[in-house]
Amino acid sequence: MKELEQSIRKHIEEAGLAELLPGFDTEAAWQEIDARLRPRSKRLQLRPVLPYAAILLAGLCTACLLYVLPGRQKQEKLTAMRSVRRPSAPLLKSPVPIAIPVPDSSPTPLMAAKPRKQGSRQPLGQQEALPSPDPATPLPVLQGDEPVSPLVLQQPPLRKVRHYLDEAEAEVPEAEHTGRVTAAQVPVRVKHFLDIDNENRGRMQPEPGSTAPMLSFRFKLNKPGKAGDNERPATPPIRAFIYSSIK
Amino acid sequence: MNIPLNPIKYEDEFELVAACKQQVAVAQNALYRRYSGPLMILCLRYIGNAEEAKEVLMDALVAAFRSIERFEYIGPGSLQAWLRRLTVNQCLMLLRKRKLQFTELGMQHEEQAADAGKDNIIAALSAKEMMHMVQALPPGYRTVFNLYVFEEMSHKEIAELLGISEGTAKSQLHKARLQLQKQMKQSQSVGL
């Protein structure tokens, strides 16, 4: 029995691998062993590609920025243009009845407006609001420098209101016959009153007896292009302030 | 110590081991080229399937290259013996995963084995045929036969290694012999 075993052992051990397993690929097996021994080698293979990948990524990022930023700027411009293109009423430079509030001091300066004499002109800061126009009596008119076309003259008279904050300016059409401006007749959007360029200069602190803080606050809320700007008419507090100043 | 980069220069096992301890790729390749053949044959004897044997060989060599720092070279042949032991352990690990089973042998078979031992029928067989015979043995017989015949382990060592009794190891070896003799007779009759 021992002879049998020793003979088998001798035969098998003396035989080469090529005889026992002709299809064995020694080189492929070594490659697999080498890959398992040095897993970093794959990372090293990727190393030359990394700079190109980084450049490609940077290029993509730049392209995205160049594509996105002009779009945003264009959108902002459109918002601004929209506010310019859609004034509440056609602008009349002259002649036009003007109601200008007193800048400060009195609690409701525009409400305390007195009819001023025809032909006289006060400095801008000291001008007072005109009374509401009466269809029976002609409105006091300020003479301007430029001639007015007949088409413009056919438009309903305007009251150019500049409230005392100086940042906002609005043209409000006057209602026919009644001489009073109501909420239904004058749908004023807040962004028309807003001086976007000088918005940050607006006073946020209330003055004694003034409604300015409320107005300023409403302007801030309805800034065009930001949250809350949904093209709605002015909120009732702002309308109330404007109407009171017109009167 | 200067480590040669040419694999031909790693003829000395001591140099080869020293270079492999420093993870020199050329030395590792030289070691692989020198011992992969015998180790693959060893795997084939234990596993039987060529693809699985190849996987076991690669696992064993990777384990060898990673743990060669713990190997102490004590003379010619010690490296090969260490590699063989490591590969055998790797084969046994795979066989344990397959839940290697050992079956007991009856007395009738022992008598047959005693009779069969008298015949000398191995002269005409080639190494490839013998390898196929060994591979054709059931895993339990084949494992004990390999450990006893090729690794020259005693029944006690085999029993401890495989977690079986000495009697089971002996019976497995006996049954393996019987089956081998039976196969040899069959091949001889076919050849005649």
Side-chain angles (χ1 to χ4, degrees):
Chain A
M1 190 62 69
K2 286 277 182 186
E3 291 175 4
L4 171 70
E5 291 163 4
Q6 291 305 318
S7 177
I8 291 172
R9 180 181 176 181
K10 187 182 175 185
H11 273 75
I12 290 176
E13 285 191 342
E14 286 181 356
L17 183 62
E19 182 186 351
L20 295 175
L21 190 66
F24 182 68
D25 190 351
T26 311
E27 196 57 38
W30 167 250
Q31 292 298 331
E32 286 188 41
I33 291 169
D34 194 43
R36 285 165 68 176
L37 284 173
R38 296 170 188 81
R40 288 181 182 178
S41 58
K42 286 186 178 178
R43 293 180 190 171
L44 288 172
Q45 286 174 2
L46 286 176
R47 200 173 269 181
V49 186
L50 287 177
Y52 299 105
I55 291 169
L56 185 66
L57 191 64
L60 282 173
C61 289
T62 309
C64 286
L65 286 174
L66 290 173
Y67 179 76
V68 170
L69 283 179
R72 281 192 175 183
Q73 289 173 357
K74 191 176 179 182
Q75 194 175 6
E76 287 175 4
K77 281 177 184 175
L78 281 175
T79 305
M81 284 172 64
R82 204 179 301 152
S83 63
V84 170
R85 261 193 277 145
R86 298 171 69 184
S88 57
L91 294 173
L92 286 178
K93 298 215 173 181
S94 167
V96 61
I98 297 176
I100 300 175
V102 177
D104 50 13
S105 69
S106 62
T108 52
L110 299 179
M111 291 295 287
K114 296 176 183 176
R116 62 192 176 88
K117 294 176 182 177
Q118 193 171 10
S120 67
R121 189 167 190 174
Q122 296 176 1
L124 190 64
Q126 297 174 2
Q127 287 179 351
E128 295 179 347
L130 290 172
S132 57
D134 190 0
T137 58
L139 288 167
V141 173
L142 288 177
Q143 292 297 328
D145 299 331
E146 297 176 9
V148 179
S149 67
L151 184 63
V152 172
L153 288 172
Q154 290 173 7
Q155 298 290 331
L158 294 178
R159 286 179 184 272
K160 187 173 183 181
V161 177
R162 173 183 290 172
H163 67 83
Y164 61 89
L165 283 177
D166 286 338
E167 290 92 342
E169 198 173 48
E171 288 79 27
V172 181
E174 186 186 47
E176 295 179 356
H177 308 302
T178 62
R180 294 185 61 191
V181 180
T182 61
Q185 291 169 332
V186 187
V188 179
R189 287 189 301 178
V190 175
K191 63 180 180 181
H192 294 163
F193 292 90
L194 180 64
D195 185 357
I196 298 170
D197 295 333
N198 300 311
E199 180 207 13
N200 293 331
R201 291 196 299 150
R203 285 179 291 179
M204 297 302 292
Q205 294 299 322
E207 290 187 358
S210 171
T211 53
M214 177 178 65
L215 186 62
S216 175
F217 179 67
R218 293 297 178 180
F219 283 164
K220 292 289 283 184
L221 272 182
N222 292 278
K223 180 184 174 184
K226 290 203 170 182
D229 177 30
N230 50 4
E231 305 285 335
R232 285 183 298 188
T235 51
I238 297 174
R239 276 203 299 268
F241 172 76
I242 294 165
Y243 302 152
S244 63
S245 67
I246 291 170
K247 290 171 188 176
Chain B
M1 179 181 175
N2 291 329
I3 297 166
L5 294 174
N6 189 349
I8 300 170
K9 294 182 179 178
Y10 289 112
E11 290 178 359
D12 184 16
E13 272 193 353
F14 182 74
E15 282 184 7
L16 185 64
V17 171
C20 286
K21 282 184 178 180
Q22 295 185 26
Q23 304 296 324
V24 177
V26 181
Q28 288 174 338
N29 184 259
L31 186 145
Y32 169 78
R33 290 185 185 282
R34 189 177 296 182
Y35 295 111
S36 63
L39 294 177
M40 183 65 190
I41 292 170
L42 186 150
C43 293
L44 283 170
R45 279 194 284 108
Y46 279 89
I47 305 300
N49 182 287
E51 281 300 314
E52 288 179 338
K54 181 186 167 187
E55 287 296 321
V56 171
L57 172 72
M58 290 195 295
D59 289 344
L61 283 172
V62 169
F65 288 131
R66 283 177 181 163
S67 59
I68 199 166
E69 287 185 7
R70 295 196 294 270
F71 169 69
E72 288 185 14
Y73 185 77
I74 53 175
S78 62
L79 176 62
Q80 186 175 11
W82 179 70
L83 288 171
R84 280 178 69 100
R85 200 162 54 248
L86 210 146
T87 310
V88 168
N89 286 336
Q90 207 72 33
C91 292
L92 293 178
M93 278 175 61
L94 180 70
L95 292 171
R96 283 194 197 101
K97 282 182 187 173
R98 292 181 182 174
K99 295 181 181 177
L100 186 63
Q101 290 182 347
F102 302 94
T103 51
E104 294 294 332
L105 186 69
M107 291 300 292
Q108 189 182 358
H109 293 90
E110 287 192 20
E111 290 171 5
Q112 287 178 1
D115 294 337
K118 295 173 186 176
D119 300 328
N120 188 8
I121 51 174
I122 57 172
L125 294 174
S126 68
K128 194 172 184 178
E129 286 171 325
M130 288 185 184
M131 174 64 91
H132 282 309
M133 286 177 188
V134 173
Q135 286 177 326
L137 290 172
Y141 308 166
R142 190 172 65 217
T143 305
V144 173
F145 181 82
N146 275 318
L147 291 171
Y148 185 83
V149 175
F150 289 88
E151 317 309 329
E152 298 179 343
M153 285 184 172
S154 66
H155 285 296
K156 188 180 178 182
E157 288 171 329
I158 293 169
E160 286 177 0
L161 187 64
L162 299 179
I164 55 176
S165 66
E166 279 189 52
T168 305
K170 286 177 183 175
S171 68
Q172 295 291 309
L173 177 66
H174 198 75
K175 198 166 184 178
R177 285 169 176 163
L178 277 176
Q179 190 156 337
L180 283 172
Q181 287 171 355
K182 189 179 175 182
Q183 288 178 357
M184 285 177 186
K185 281 181 181 177
Q186 285 177 352
S187 63
Q188 194 179 31
S189 62
V190 170
L192 289 173

